[in-house]
Structures are given as C-alpha cells and as structure tokens.
C-alpha cells in the first residue's frame, strides 16, 4: 500500500472543524413517536400503559363491528376514546398498527410511552425547583428553608407546603388536624383535593366550583411547562416558543389541567419518586378524579367557562379565549337586527 493511500484511509485528527455544523440528523419514525408521546401524555392522557392501549384498541375495533360502543363498560369506553384520540393525532398510525405484527404494535406503544414518561420526568424535575419561587412569601424567604434538590422536608412536614396540600374543607390552622395529617393518622386519598387548586386558596362549601382549578400556582406551572419557563412572569404572547408552539397547541385541554395539577401536587409532597402506584401521594386517583369531573357531561357549562378562563391566561390570542358577546350589548342587538332583516328579506322572496 502506498503511503498516500494509507494516509487517506486513516481519519485525520484535523479533518473537520468543530465550528462547522455536521450533517443534519435524519428524523426517524422512532423519534417522531417519542416526541408525539411527550405531547400526548401531557395533553390527552398521561398515566397509561401504551402498549396495552394499542393492543386493546385494535382488538376492540374488531369487537365493535358486532357490538355497540354503549354495551362496553365506562372504563372500556374511556380507554377506547383515548385510543381514537391517539389515532386521530398521528396520521398513518392506524394503518401501521393494522399492518404490523404484535411485536410492532408493542414497540410503537413502548416508544409513545417512552415519550410520555420522559416528559413527565422532565416536568417533575424542573417544577421541583421552580415551585419554590412561586410559593415563597413576597419579599421574604421560606422559613424554615426548603431544599431545591430534596423533597424530604416538604409535604405536611413543612408549614408552607402543608398548608397548600391540606385537603379543602379541613383547617390547617387547627393543631389537631395538622398533627393528624403529619402523623398519618388522617389518611388523605387522591380524591380529596388540596386547597392549592382553588383561587386564592379559598374553598367555598356552598359553591363547589367557585375558584376550582383557577389558582395562581397552577397558572404558573402550566405556563412553565407549555409556553416556556420564561413566560411565567411575563404577559403571554402567541409567538413565544415552548412545548405548546412546537406541537401546534393553541388551547388548553381538560387533561392538561389534570396533568399540571397532578404535577404540582406531587412537587409539593415529600415523595421522591413519581409513581402511579404510590399509595402515599395517590397520584393516579387524584388525576382520574379530576378527569372524572371535567369530562362529566352534567358539568359541561362550568367546564366550558373554566376552559375559556384558562385560555385567556395562557393563549389570549386564540379563538378559544374570546369572550362571548353579552346578551344586552349594542353589538348583540345590531347582530340580532341584521339576522331579523335577513330573515324578513328571505321570507318576502316569491318562488
């Protein structure tokens, strides 16, 4: 072998400059599924076994050819609705699942689940520190101090986090109640919502929807996750980059509210590892209890008002944030007059 040939076959230590961009990495289908899983978990359903969701969904499509959807249990109907939302949100997924082997279906589910779990882990990590800035008394430090990288002193162990996690309807200032919460004698289930989910941390037993899921802490956490950490202390803008913009999200979803509330509740707790089976924080029950309320058709009026309120906080430029026209406003009367004139004109047309 000639010297120059040998030299050409050996990678040069000075062959490429670190100041030049390398070739663009081609985005693989796996990357897209993981990315989609991140957003789907945050906005549609997070505590989910995705391989089972896909496997059951494909089998249920065949079952529904002979069985009406109404004959399925409530849990099966919810699962199938989530499965259909996943199909609708990812073009070509249904064909891939139908044509794929059982191993391929499981693999797709694992990739989506990897994305959802990764997003949940990332949000848990960043919120753990950020939430301390939001709950600190204005102009004061938290006393005794709370560690940013450890949660052992949070939960009912600390006066501040304990007051926020105290179930609505219980008085944290009552020494007996406080002692029972701290000792574990009073067991808090996931469907006992903490006071921090209410605006100004005020619970009205006579008007149960008053302030529900409208707290400043939830708004800060939502912006932190969806419109970027830097947007928390600023006026929201449609052009700001963040997870919402990356995925074309321009309105708040029911599941995203439940997701953020679950994240904040866990962040304030003393538990160190987020787990759907953790009986201490009971995160799965908490998440499902919020979804049960927000998806209840009987509560649609209150939920619509809640979503409109949230869209004004997070996506003020979107159509979902627009206020309905007041019934007695001049604009409403002008539009009613136009409608009446149009109907009268059509009524006078001879055929």
């Amino acid at each position: 072998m000639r010297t120059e040939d040998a030299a050409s076959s050996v990678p040069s230590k000075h062959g490429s400059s670190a100041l030049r961009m390398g070739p663009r990495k081609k985005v693989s289908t796996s990357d897209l599924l993981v990315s989609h899983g991140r957003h789907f978990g945050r906005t549609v359903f997070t505590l989910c076994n995705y391989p089972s969701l896909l496997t059951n969904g494909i089998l249920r499509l065949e079952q529904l050819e002979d069985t009406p959807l109404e004959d399925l249990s409530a849990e099966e109907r919810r699962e199938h609705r989530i499965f259909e939302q996943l199909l609708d949100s990812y073009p070509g997924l249904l064909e891939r699942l139908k044509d794929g082997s059982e191993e391929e279906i499981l693999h797709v589910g694992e990739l989506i689940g990897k994305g959802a779990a990764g997003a949940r882990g990332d949000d848990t990590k960043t919120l753990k520190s950020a939430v301390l800035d939001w709950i600190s008394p204005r102009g004061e430090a938290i006393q005794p101090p709370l560690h940013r990288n450890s949660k052992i002193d949070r939960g009912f162990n600390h006066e501040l986090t304990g007051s926020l996690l105290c179930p609505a309807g219980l008085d944290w200032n009552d020494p007996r109640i406080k002692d029972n919460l701290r000792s574990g004698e009073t067991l808090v289930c996931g469907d006992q919502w903490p006071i921090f989910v209410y605006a100004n941390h005020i619970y009205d037993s006579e008007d149960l929807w008053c302030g529900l899921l409208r707290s400043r802490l939830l708004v800060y956490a939502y912006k932190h996750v969806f419109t970027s950490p830097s947007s928390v202390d600023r006026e929201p803008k449609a052009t700001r980059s963040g997870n919402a913009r990356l995925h074309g999200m321009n309105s708040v979803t029911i599941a995203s509210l439940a997701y953020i509330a679950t994240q904040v509740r866990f962040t304030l707790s003393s538990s160190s590892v987020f787990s759907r089976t953790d009986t201490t924080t009971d995160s799965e029950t908490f998440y499902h209890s919020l979804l049960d309320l927000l998806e209840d058709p009987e509560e649609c009026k209150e939920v619509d008002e809640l979503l409109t309120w949230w869209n004004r906080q997070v996506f003020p430029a979107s159509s979902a944030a627009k206020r309905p026209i007041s019934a007695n406003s001049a604009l409403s009367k002008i539009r009613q007059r136009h409608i009446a004139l149009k109907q009268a004109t059509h009524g006078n047309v001879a055929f």
Side-chain angles (χ1 to χ4, degrees), residues 217-233:
L217 181 55
L218 288 179
V219 173
Y220 284 178
Y222 199 102
K223 290 181 178 181
H224 177 91
V225 169
F226 287 102
T227 61
S228 82
S230 62
S231 70
V232 171
D233 298 321

PDB file of all heavy atoms in Angstrom, residues 217-233:
ATOM      1  N   LEU A 217     -50.884  29.468  41.347  1.00  0.00           N
ATOM      2  CA  LEU A 217     -49.840  28.447  41.310  1.00  0.00           C
ATOM      3  C   LEU A 217     -50.017  27.516  40.117  1.00  0.00           C
ATOM      4  O   LEU A 217     -49.041  27.159  39.436  1.00  0.00           O
ATOM      5  CB  LEU A 217     -49.871  27.646  42.620  1.00  0.00           C
ATOM      6  CG  LEU A 217     -48.834  26.537  42.793  1.00  0.00           C
ATOM      7  CD1 LEU A 217     -47.421  27.084  42.613  1.00  0.00           C
ATOM      8  CD2 LEU A 217     -48.994  25.871  44.150  1.00  0.00           C
ATOM      9  N   LEU A 218     -51.241  27.124  39.811  1.00  0.00           N
ATOM     10  CA  LEU A 218     -51.494  26.258  38.656  1.00  0.00           C
ATOM     11  C   LEU A 218     -51.199  26.974  37.347  1.00  0.00           C
ATOM     12  O   LEU A 218     -50.660  26.378  36.413  1.00  0.00           O
ATOM     13  CB  LEU A 218     -52.948  25.776  38.674  1.00  0.00           C
ATOM     14  CG  LEU A 218     -53.323  24.735  39.729  1.00  0.00           C
ATOM     15  CD1 LEU A 218     -54.803  24.387  39.617  1.00  0.00           C
ATOM     16  CD2 LEU A 218     -52.479  23.480  39.583  1.00  0.00           C
ATOM     17  N   VAL A 219     -51.545  28.256  37.268  1.00  0.00           N
ATOM     18  CA  VAL A 219     -51.279  29.021  36.047  1.00  0.00           C
ATOM     19  C   VAL A 219     -49.773  29.120  35.808  1.00  0.00           C
ATOM     20  O   VAL A 219     -49.293  28.929  34.681  1.00  0.00           O
ATOM     21  CB  VAL A 219     -51.903  30.431  36.131  1.00  0.00           C
ATOM     22  CG1 VAL A 219     -51.475  31.282  34.934  1.00  0.00           C
ATOM     23  CG2 VAL A 219     -53.422  30.342  36.194  1.00  0.00           C
ATOM     24  N   TYR A 220     -49.010  29.402  36.863  1.00  0.00           N
ATOM     25  CA  TYR A 220     -47.553  29.475  36.739  1.00  0.00           C
ATOM     26  C   TYR A 220     -46.974  28.144  36.248  1.00  0.00           C
ATOM     27  O   TYR A 220     -46.120  28.111  35.360  1.00  0.00           O
ATOM     28  CB  TYR A 220     -46.920  29.842  38.083  1.00  0.00           C
ATOM     29  CG  TYR A 220     -47.037  31.294  38.471  1.00  0.00           C
ATOM     30  CD1 TYR A 220     -46.536  31.752  39.693  1.00  0.00           C
ATOM     31  CD2 TYR A 220     -47.639  32.219  37.628  1.00  0.00           C
ATOM     32  CE1 TYR A 220     -46.633  33.089  40.055  1.00  0.00           C
ATOM     33  CE2 TYR A 220     -47.748  33.557  37.975  1.00  0.00           C
ATOM     34  CZ  TYR A 220     -47.248  33.986  39.199  1.00  0.00           C
ATOM     35  OH  TYR A 220     -47.347  35.307  39.553  1.00  0.00           O
ATOM     36  N   ALA A 221     -47.437  27.056  36.844  1.00  0.00           N
ATOM     37  CA  ALA A 221     -46.924  25.744  36.460  1.00  0.00           C
ATOM     38  C   ALA A 221     -47.305  25.396  35.023  1.00  0.00           C
ATOM     39  O   ALA A 221     -46.503  24.822  34.279  1.00  0.00           O
ATOM     40  CB  ALA A 221     -47.460  24.679  37.422  1.00  0.00           C
ATOM     41  N   TYR A 222     -48.516  25.768  34.615  1.00  0.00           N
ATOM     42  CA  TYR A 222     -48.970  25.481  33.248  1.00  0.00           C
ATOM     43  C   TYR A 222     -48.100  26.230  32.238  1.00  0.00           C
ATOM     44  O   TYR A 222     -47.647  25.654  31.240  1.00  0.00           O
ATOM     45  CB  TYR A 222     -50.436  25.884  33.087  1.00  0.00           C
ATOM     46  CG  TYR A 222     -51.106  25.232  31.898  1.00  0.00           C
ATOM     47  CD1 TYR A 222     -51.950  24.140  32.072  1.00  0.00           C
ATOM     48  CD2 TYR A 222     -50.897  25.697  30.599  1.00  0.00           C
ATOM     49  CE1 TYR A 222     -52.568  23.526  30.990  1.00  0.00           C
ATOM     50  CE2 TYR A 222     -51.503  25.097  29.515  1.00  0.00           C
ATOM     51  CZ  TYR A 222     -52.334  24.014  29.707  1.00  0.00           C
ATOM     52  OH  TYR A 222     -52.928  23.396  28.631  1.00  0.00           O
ATOM     53  N   LYS A 223     -47.867  27.491  32.500  1.00  0.00           N
ATOM     54  CA  LYS A 223     -47.026  28.269  31.590  1.00  0.00           C
ATOM     55  C   LYS A 223     -45.602  27.726  31.565  1.00  0.00           C
ATOM     56  O   LYS A 223     -44.968  27.667  30.502  1.00  0.00           O
ATOM     57  CB  LYS A 223     -47.018  29.745  32.020  1.00  0.00           C
ATOM     58  CG  LYS A 223     -48.325  30.475  31.788  1.00  0.00           C
ATOM     59  CD  LYS A 223     -48.195  31.930  32.223  1.00  0.00           C
ATOM     60  CE  LYS A 223     -49.456  32.720  31.957  1.00  0.00           C
ATOM     61  NZ  LYS A 223     -49.321  34.135  32.362  1.00  0.00           N
ATOM     62  N   HIS A 224     -45.102  27.348  32.716  1.00  0.00           N
ATOM     63  CA  HIS A 224     -43.750  26.808  32.818  1.00  0.00           C
ATOM     64  C   HIS A 224     -43.577  25.602  31.896  1.00  0.00           C
ATOM     65  O   HIS A 224     -42.571  25.482  31.198  1.00  0.00           O
ATOM     66  CB  HIS A 224     -43.472  26.409  34.271  1.00  0.00           C
ATOM     67  CG  HIS A 224     -42.132  25.780  34.505  1.00  0.00           C
ATOM     68  ND1 HIS A 224     -41.010  26.511  34.835  1.00  0.00           N
ATOM     69  CD2 HIS A 224     -41.721  24.486  34.441  1.00  0.00           C
ATOM     70  CE1 HIS A 224     -39.985  25.697  34.977  1.00  0.00           C
ATOM     71  NE2 HIS A 224     -40.391  24.466  34.741  1.00  0.00           N
ATOM     72  N   VAL A 225     -44.571  24.729  31.875  1.00  0.00           N
ATOM     73  CA  VAL A 225     -44.479  23.501  31.080  1.00  0.00           C
ATOM     74  C   VAL A 225     -44.814  23.740  29.615  1.00  0.00           C
ATOM     75  O   VAL A 225     -44.120  23.241  28.719  1.00  0.00           O
ATOM     76  CB  VAL A 225     -45.413  22.420  31.666  1.00  0.00           C
ATOM     77  CG1 VAL A 225     -45.540  21.224  30.705  1.00  0.00           C
ATOM     78  CG2 VAL A 225     -44.910  21.958  33.022  1.00  0.00           C
ATOM     79  N   PHE A 226     -45.858  24.519  29.348  1.00  0.00           N
ATOM     80  CA  PHE A 226     -46.369  24.592  27.978  1.00  0.00           C
ATOM     81  C   PHE A 226     -45.898  25.801  27.171  1.00  0.00           C
ATOM     82  O   PHE A 226     -45.765  25.695  25.946  1.00  0.00           O
ATOM     83  CB  PHE A 226     -47.899  24.543  27.993  1.00  0.00           C
ATOM     84  CG  PHE A 226     -48.445  23.181  28.307  1.00  0.00           C
ATOM     85  CD1 PHE A 226     -48.929  22.887  29.572  1.00  0.00           C
ATOM     86  CD2 PHE A 226     -48.451  22.187  27.351  1.00  0.00           C
ATOM     87  CE1 PHE A 226     -49.423  21.624  29.874  1.00  0.00           C
ATOM     88  CE2 PHE A 226     -48.944  20.921  27.628  1.00  0.00           C
ATOM     89  CZ  PHE A 226     -49.425  20.631  28.905  1.00  0.00           C
ATOM     90  N   THR A 227     -45.700  26.939  27.786  1.00  0.00           N
ATOM     91  CA  THR A 227     -45.291  28.112  26.989  1.00  0.00           C
ATOM     92  C   THR A 227     -43.878  28.575  27.287  1.00  0.00           C
ATOM     93  O   THR A 227     -43.444  29.565  26.715  1.00  0.00           O
ATOM     94  CB  THR A 227     -46.265  29.299  27.191  1.00  0.00           C
ATOM     95  OG1 THR A 227     -46.269  29.682  28.567  1.00  0.00           O
ATOM     96  CG2 THR A 227     -47.677  28.922  26.784  1.00  0.00           C
ATOM     97  N   SER A 228     -43.161  27.888  28.153  1.00  0.00           N
ATOM     98  CA  SER A 228     -41.755  28.106  28.495  1.00  0.00           C
ATOM     99  C   SER A 228     -41.624  28.729  29.880  1.00  0.00           C
ATOM    100  O   SER A 228     -42.462  29.552  30.279  1.00  0.00           O
ATOM    101  CB  SER A 228     -41.025  28.985  27.471  1.00  0.00           C
ATOM    102  OG  SER A 228     -41.272  30.359  27.712  1.00  0.00           O
ATOM    103  N   PRO A 229     -40.586  28.342  30.617  1.00  0.00           N
ATOM    104  CA  PRO A 229     -40.370  28.877  31.967  1.00  0.00           C
ATOM    105  C   PRO A 229     -40.287  30.398  32.008  1.00  0.00           C
ATOM    106  O   PRO A 229     -40.730  31.023  32.972  1.00  0.00           O
ATOM    107  CB  PRO A 229     -39.043  28.233  32.380  1.00  0.00           C
ATOM    108  CG  PRO A 229     -39.004  26.948  31.621  1.00  0.00           C
ATOM    109  CD  PRO A 229     -39.630  27.266  30.291  1.00  0.00           C
ATOM    110  N   SER A 230     -39.745  30.994  30.944  1.00  0.00           N
ATOM    111  CA  SER A 230     -39.580  32.451  30.940  1.00  0.00           C
ATOM    112  C   SER A 230     -40.899  33.195  30.799  1.00  0.00           C
ATOM    113  O   SER A 230     -40.973  34.397  31.037  1.00  0.00           O
ATOM    114  CB  SER A 230     -38.644  32.864  29.808  1.00  0.00           C
ATOM    115  OG  SER A 230     -39.196  32.514  28.548  1.00  0.00           O
ATOM    116  N   SER A 231     -41.970  32.481  30.420  1.00  0.00           N
ATOM    117  CA  SER A 231     -43.262  33.147  30.216  1.00  0.00           C
ATOM    118  C   SER A 231     -44.057  33.300  31.507  1.00  0.00           C
ATOM    119  O   SER A 231     -45.081  33.982  31.517  1.00  0.00           O
ATOM    120  CB  SER A 231     -44.103  32.358  29.208  1.00  0.00           C
ATOM    121  OG  SER A 231     -44.529  31.118  29.765  1.00  0.00           O
ATOM    122  N   VAL A 232     -43.588  32.687  32.587  1.00  0.00           N
ATOM    123  CA  VAL A 232     -44.357  32.692  33.836  1.00  0.00           C
ATOM    124  C   VAL A 232     -44.564  34.106  34.362  1.00  0.00           C
ATOM    125  O   VAL A 232     -45.656  34.479  34.787  1.00  0.00           O
ATOM    126  CB  VAL A 232     -43.647  31.824  34.901  1.00  0.00           C
ATOM    127  CG1 VAL A 232     -44.312  32.006  36.273  1.00  0.00           C
ATOM    128  CG2 VAL A 232     -43.682  30.362  34.489  1.00  0.00           C
ATOM    129  N   ASP A 233     -43.510  34.921  34.317  1.00  0.00           N
ATOM    130  CA  ASP A 233     -43.582  36.269  34.895  1.00  0.00           C
ATOM    131  C   ASP A 233     -43.858  37.347  33.865  1.00  0.00           C
ATOM    132  O   ASP A 233     -43.739  38.532  34.154  1.00  0.00           O
ATOM    133  CB  ASP A 233     -42.274  36.596  35.620  1.00  0.00           C
ATOM    134  CG  ASP A 233     -42.019  35.641  36.772  1.00  0.00           C
ATOM    135  OD1 ASP A 233     -42.991  35.298  37.456  1.00  0.00           O
ATOM    136  OD2 ASP A 233     -40.866  35.230  36.966  1.00  0.00           O
TER     137      ASP A 233
END
